[in-house]
Amino acid sequence: MRAEIKFSSKRFLMSLTLCACSVILLQSFDLAPASFLFDLLCVGVGLGLCFLLFLPTALLKKRCGGDTLSQLGSRSAAERRAVAAVYCAYAIFAALYFLLPYTDMFCKKYYTETDPCFVAFMLLICCVYAAFKGANVITRFAVFLFALAMVTNLLLFGGSLSSLRFDEDSFRFEGGIQAFFRNTGYFFTPGFIAVLFTCLSGYTRNFRLRQPVVALALTGLKFALILFFIAFAVGEYASRQEYQTFLLSRVAHFGSYAGVESFYMALSTMSVFMIVSLFLCAICRAVGRNGSLPWIAGFSAAIFLLRFAAEAFSPLRTVFTDPTVFNALTFLTGAVIPMYYYLKARRQNV
């Protein structure tokens, strides 16, 4: 097993911020109809709940200096295998949760003649190499991805300014209780980054609680801006179209230059690439095989086979892309299990 070099917690949280942006980049009919201000409230509540997921691992790091998986070394073999199995299953589910809509969007909106499974296969090959190099290298790559994200945001929002349209009802507050729960649940899905933090924060140094606060604040700002421009630059037309952020990238224009979908697609690809790669690293750490190419390739093959099966059986696809199921598993792996080990460590150190 290869030892992972300690790296900056700030860089790691920046990487997780970029991963979280995939949620809004791949949004497609996931939100219930509601006004912009109502959705803004849902964003705040959803991301506030996401922050609570960071607290058990943050407390564990403060008390023991490690993360949840660090606590397994002194546990029984049966307990280690059980916890590892839970995190491996979650990591595969999370990879599919983003890989399925990404490949669907890529083939429907960008390269219509490409097979989604082929796109998934090529992306997973890149993820295998990245996971083999380790989380430290992946987070270094995030520095360049952050620059790409800034350029994409400037083009996306700057190119949509001339398309903004407001009326007297633009800032009404409208939405029902069902819309609140559905949309808040969707904006809680970035909580998966707390699970990555739970699995990989043992590799980091100089952690401060304000770092996830800043990461989630930046995520919320990104979500709010995209919702704002979709609502007021694209309008009602967006509600009838798949992948509204992609549509926004088509609307953006600078004079005669129209469409920045290539930048949007590059950012989406790199974000999903980082998510899958980091979850492969998390799997390897859970099974105690950090940097093991056979284990990385084996779990990547499992992800691909399940992606292929989801293409053939729509009920399976429905399960893998259900935010409620995903959020329940996120709560288990991001809050329940870390809190259990924190309370156990606290009792032992009393």
Side-chain angles (χ1 to χ4, degrees), residues 15 32 37 54-55 63 84 94 103 116-117 119 149 173 191 210 218 235 299 306:
S15 305
L37 290 180
F54 279 91
L55 293 181
R63 179 167 289 272
T103 53
C117 290
V119 176
F173 188 84
R210 63 176 177 270
L218 291 175
F299 279 108
L306 287 170

mmCIF file of all heavy atoms in Angstrom, residues 15 32 37 54-55 63 84 94 103 116-117 119 149 173 191 210 218 235 299 306:
data_model
loop_
_atom_site.group_PDB
_atom_site.id
_atom_site.type_symbol
_atom_site.label_atom_id
_atom_site.label_comp_id
_atom_site.label_asym_id
_atom_site.label_seq_id
_atom_site.Cartn_x
_atom_site.Cartn_y
_atom_site.Cartn_z
ATOM 1 N N SER A 15 -11.054 21.705 -3.947
ATOM 2 C CA SER A 15 -11.396 20.608 -4.853
ATOM 3 C C SER A 15 -12.829 20.141 -4.639
ATOM 4 O O SER A 15 -13.574 19.887 -5.597
ATOM 5 C CB SER A 15 -10.439 19.430 -4.640
ATOM 6 O OG SER A 15 -9.094 19.825 -4.782
ATOM 7 N N ALA A 32 -38.689 21.408 -8.537
ATOM 8 C CA ALA A 32 -40.109 21.684 -8.690
ATOM 9 C C ALA A 32 -40.293 23.151 -9.107
ATOM 10 O O ALA A 32 -39.481 24.008 -8.755
ATOM 11 C CB ALA A 32 -40.840 21.422 -7.374
ATOM 12 N N LEU A 37 -36.657 33.536 -5.779
ATOM 13 C CA LEU A 37 -36.414 33.768 -4.356
ATOM 14 C C LEU A 37 -36.731 32.531 -3.521
ATOM 15 O O LEU A 37 -36.048 32.251 -2.531
ATOM 16 C CB LEU A 37 -37.235 34.959 -3.856
ATOM 17 C CG LEU A 37 -36.803 36.335 -4.362
ATOM 18 C CD1 LEU A 37 -37.696 37.424 -3.782
ATOM 19 C CD2 LEU A 37 -35.341 36.615 -4.029
ATOM 20 N N PHE A 54 -20.488 18.036 7.898
ATOM 21 C CA PHE A 54 -19.042 18.166 8.127
ATOM 22 C C PHE A 54 -18.685 18.084 9.605
ATOM 23 O O PHE A 54 -17.542 17.767 9.946
ATOM 24 C CB PHE A 54 -18.537 19.498 7.568
ATOM 25 C CG PHE A 54 -18.292 19.499 6.085
ATOM 26 C CD1 PHE A 54 -19.296 19.871 5.204
ATOM 27 C CD2 PHE A 54 -17.058 19.127 5.573
ATOM 28 C CE1 PHE A 54 -19.073 19.877 3.843
ATOM 29 C CE2 PHE A 54 -16.819 19.133 4.211
ATOM 30 C CZ PHE A 54 -17.838 19.509 3.337
ATOM 31 N N LEU A 55 -19.633 18.397 10.476
ATOM 32 C CA LEU A 55 -19.307 18.547 11.896
ATOM 33 C C LEU A 55 -18.800 17.269 12.562
ATOM 34 O O LEU A 55 -17.821 17.322 13.317
ATOM 35 C CB LEU A 55 -20.519 19.091 12.654
ATOM 36 C CG LEU A 55 -20.916 20.527 12.304
ATOM 37 C CD1 LEU A 55 -22.111 20.970 13.122
ATOM 38 C CD2 LEU A 55 -19.737 21.478 12.535
ATOM 39 N N ARG A 63 -10.395 15.868 17.896
ATOM 40 C CA ARG A 63 -10.109 15.018 19.049
ATOM 41 C C ARG A 63 -9.010 14.007 18.769
ATOM 42 O O ARG A 63 -8.162 13.757 19.624
ATOM 43 C CB ARG A 63 -11.383 14.294 19.499
ATOM 44 C CG ARG A 63 -11.183 13.352 20.679
ATOM 45 C CD ARG A 63 -12.497 12.923 21.262
ATOM 46 N NE ARG A 63 -13.144 14.022 21.958
ATOM 47 C CZ ARG A 63 -12.938 14.318 23.236
ATOM 48 N NH1 ARG A 63 -12.075 13.629 23.964
ATOM 49 N NH2 ARG A 63 -13.573 15.317 23.803
ATOM 50 N N ALA A 84 -16.046 -0.695 5.607
ATOM 51 C CA ALA A 84 -15.446 -0.548 4.278
ATOM 52 C C ALA A 84 -16.464 -0.866 3.192
ATOM 53 O O ALA A 84 -16.535 -0.170 2.168
ATOM 54 C CB ALA A 84 -14.228 -1.453 4.149
ATOM 55 N N ALA A 94 -22.439 6.948 -5.708
ATOM 56 C CA ALA A 94 -22.201 8.368 -5.969
ATOM 57 C C ALA A 94 -21.576 8.582 -7.349
ATOM 58 O O ALA A 94 -21.937 9.531 -8.066
ATOM 59 C CB ALA A 94 -21.295 8.954 -4.890
ATOM 60 N N THR A 103 -23.063 11.578 -18.863
ATOM 61 C CA THR A 103 -22.962 10.916 -20.173
ATOM 62 C C THR A 103 -24.225 11.123 -20.991
ATOM 63 O O THR A 103 -24.165 11.260 -22.216
ATOM 64 C CB THR A 103 -22.678 9.416 -20.001
ATOM 65 O OG1 THR A 103 -23.647 8.835 -19.118
ATOM 66 C CG2 THR A 103 -21.287 9.184 -19.422
ATOM 67 N N PRO A 116 -23.319 6.613 -24.988
ATOM 68 C CA PRO A 116 -23.046 7.027 -23.605
ATOM 69 C C PRO A 116 -22.082 6.093 -22.872
ATOM 70 O O PRO A 116 -21.267 6.555 -22.062
ATOM 71 C CB PRO A 116 -24.433 7.002 -22.948
ATOM 72 C CG PRO A 116 -25.394 7.150 -24.070
ATOM 73 C CD PRO A 116 -24.766 6.468 -25.241
ATOM 74 N N CYS A 117 -22.178 4.801 -23.146
ATOM 75 C CA CYS A 117 -21.285 3.851 -22.472
ATOM 76 C C CYS A 117 -19.835 4.043 -22.908
ATOM 77 O O CYS A 117 -18.909 3.854 -22.115
ATOM 78 C CB CYS A 117 -21.743 2.415 -22.734
ATOM 79 S SG CYS A 117 -23.284 1.988 -21.901
ATOM 80 N N VAL A 119 -18.538 6.963 -23.774
ATOM 81 C CA VAL A 119 -18.092 8.160 -23.055
ATOM 82 C C VAL A 119 -17.724 7.812 -21.614
ATOM 83 O O VAL A 119 -16.689 8.244 -21.093
ATOM 84 C CB VAL A 119 -19.189 9.244 -23.079
ATOM 85 C CG1 VAL A 119 -18.766 10.458 -22.250
ATOM 86 C CG2 VAL A 119 -19.496 9.660 -24.506
ATOM 87 N N ALA A 149 -12.883 27.175 -14.108
ATOM 88 C CA ALA A 149 -14.213 27.511 -13.589
ATOM 89 C C ALA A 149 -14.422 29.019 -13.579
ATOM 90 O O ALA A 149 -15.510 29.500 -13.922
ATOM 91 C CB ALA A 149 -14.384 26.938 -12.186
ATOM 92 N N PHE A 173 -42.206 35.759 -4.230
ATOM 93 C CA PHE A 173 -41.842 34.580 -3.437
ATOM 94 C C PHE A 173 -42.985 33.582 -3.568
ATOM 95 O O PHE A 173 -44.040 33.760 -2.968
ATOM 96 C CB PHE A 173 -41.607 34.968 -1.971
ATOM 97 C CG PHE A 173 -41.050 33.848 -1.124
ATOM 98 C CD1 PHE A 173 -39.691 33.602 -1.109
ATOM 99 C CD2 PHE A 173 -41.880 33.049 -0.362
ATOM 100 C CE1 PHE A 173 -39.162 32.573 -0.339
ATOM 101 C CE2 PHE A 173 -41.369 32.032 0.415
ATOM 102 C CZ PHE A 173 -40.016 31.784 0.421
ATOM 103 N N GLY A 191 -24.005 17.438 -0.291
ATOM 104 C CA GLY A 191 -23.481 16.831 0.929
ATOM 105 C C GLY A 191 -22.547 15.663 0.673
ATOM 106 O O GLY A 191 -21.815 15.245 1.587
ATOM 107 N N ARG A 210 -13.667 26.872 9.388
ATOM 108 C CA ARG A 210 -14.150 27.889 8.457
ATOM 109 C C ARG A 210 -13.970 27.457 6.991
ATOM 110 O O ARG A 210 -14.625 28.016 6.101
ATOM 111 C CB ARG A 210 -13.439 29.210 8.686
ATOM 112 C CG ARG A 210 -11.956 29.199 8.439
ATOM 113 C CD ARG A 210 -11.349 30.587 8.606
ATOM 114 N NE ARG A 210 -9.901 30.576 8.448
ATOM 115 C CZ ARG A 210 -9.042 30.392 9.440
ATOM 116 N NH1 ARG A 210 -9.504 30.219 10.676
ATOM 117 N NH2 ARG A 210 -7.744 30.400 9.218
ATOM 118 N N LEU A 218 -19.227 29.461 -1.344
ATOM 119 C CA LEU A 218 -18.910 29.604 -2.768
ATOM 120 C C LEU A 218 -19.831 28.748 -3.621
ATOM 121 O O LEU A 218 -20.263 29.155 -4.707
ATOM 122 C CB LEU A 218 -17.447 29.231 -3.020
ATOM 123 C CG LEU A 218 -16.395 30.192 -2.455
ATOM 124 C CD1 LEU A 218 -14.998 29.633 -2.666
ATOM 125 C CD2 LEU A 218 -16.521 31.565 -3.115
ATOM 126 N N GLY A 235 -35.583 32.307 -18.936
ATOM 127 C CA GLY A 235 -36.998 32.419 -18.624
ATOM 128 C C GLY A 235 -37.762 31.113 -18.690
ATOM 129 O O GLY A 235 -37.200 30.035 -18.467
ATOM 130 N N PHE A 299 -12.837 -1.742 -9.208
ATOM 131 C CA PHE A 299 -14.001 -0.940 -8.842
ATOM 132 C C PHE A 299 -14.466 -0.074 -10.015
ATOM 133 O O PHE A 299 -15.674 0.158 -10.167
ATOM 134 C CB PHE A 299 -13.693 -0.071 -7.626
ATOM 135 C CG PHE A 299 -13.791 -0.806 -6.323
ATOM 136 C CD1 PHE A 299 -12.663 -1.133 -5.591
ATOM 137 C CD2 PHE A 299 -15.029 -1.205 -5.826
ATOM 138 C CE1 PHE A 299 -12.758 -1.824 -4.389
ATOM 139 C CE2 PHE A 299 -15.137 -1.889 -4.627
ATOM 140 C CZ PHE A 299 -13.998 -2.210 -3.911
ATOM 141 N N LEU A 306 -22.257 -1.406 -14.052
ATOM 142 C CA LEU A 306 -23.530 -0.900 -13.537
ATOM 143 C C LEU A 306 -24.062 0.228 -14.421
ATOM 144 O O LEU A 306 -25.284 0.351 -14.607
ATOM 145 C CB LEU A 306 -23.357 -0.420 -12.100
ATOM 146 C CG LEU A 306 -23.204 -1.531 -11.053
ATOM 147 C CD1 LEU A 306 -22.798 -0.951 -9.708
ATOM 148 C CD2 LEU A 306 -24.517 -2.306 -10.914
#
